[in-house]
Amino acid sequence: MVMDLEKCIGCHACTVACKSENGVAIGGSRTRVLEQEHGTYPETSRFFLPMMCNHCEDAPCIKACPNKAILTKENGIVDINKDKCMGFQFCLSACPYGAIYINPDQEPDDYVKDYPARTLFKADKCNFCEERLEVGLDPSCSNTCPADARLFGDLSDPNSKVSQLINGEKLTGLLMEEGTKPQVYYKDGRPDIFKVSKAINNK
Ligand code: SF4
Ligand code: SF4
């Protein structure tokens, strides 16, 4: 996924779409949009930073889980095996992006079958809406974004939407210095993206 920060208008449609698609509990989130204000009135501006699991190539959450409940699938998606997760929360501490939460809600079995995000006391996070990808749809957040600020696709295909968006520009990721090799890329229209991501990290 590529985030185009110059296009994001901070409407949070992506966060709502994600919750709706995945049945995410109140109090949990698979994606967030952080805000930061700059300047002094009347010369002010607001900066929006959409964030989610970065599906890291070298994912610290995978290393931290004593039950091996987090895995990288063949398609590159970092996913949580709910059957193996014991809710120890080591992954929450290990993730520098704050992308994992523990589901706090008890739901009827039928509901949990359709929405595994609601498995009580299990870790949950973005899975790139894998069930949508399997039937040729974009992830719900990308599909919903009215500004085309979150584009999903194949960077190795020069004709894909993401390749055309980037148009040969250099990409950045959040907290690159952590060595996690994040797979969510940012078309960096703002020089202070790293400062913002550091602030998130310290929350
Ligand atoms: S890809 Fe799907 S699960 Fe991940 S943040 Fe977007 S809507 Fe949520
Ligand atoms: S839906 Fe798009 S424009 Fe709105 S907050 Fe999310 S990324 Fe930004």
Side-chain angles (χ1 to χ4, degrees), residues 68-85:
K68 301 196 183 325
I70 309 181
L71 68 157
T72 304
K73 295 184 165 175
E74 274 181 21
N75 57 14
I77 291 173
V78 175
D79 205 4
I80 297 173
N81 181 338
K82 304 280 179 188
D83 293 333
K84 284 191 170 181
C85 175

Side-chain angles (χ1 to χ4, degrees), residues 1 14 17-19 21-22 30-31 51-52 55 125-130 139-142 150:
M1 186 170 286
C14 51
C18 177
K19 282 194 168 238
E21 175 74 26
N22 299 293
R30 287 184 169 202
T31 184
M51 289 190 64
M52 57 196 285
H55 297 271
K125 67 169 194 66
C126 165
N127 68 346
F128 272 144
C129 290
E130 193 174 9
S140 188
C141 55
S142 300
R150 309 172 68 122

Side-chain angles (χ1 to χ4, degrees), residues 7-15 33 50 141 144-150:
K7 286 188 177 164
C8 178
I9 53 173
C11 66
H12 292 267
C14 51
T15 60
V33 181
C141 55
T144 303
C145 176
D148 282 343
R150 309 172 68 122

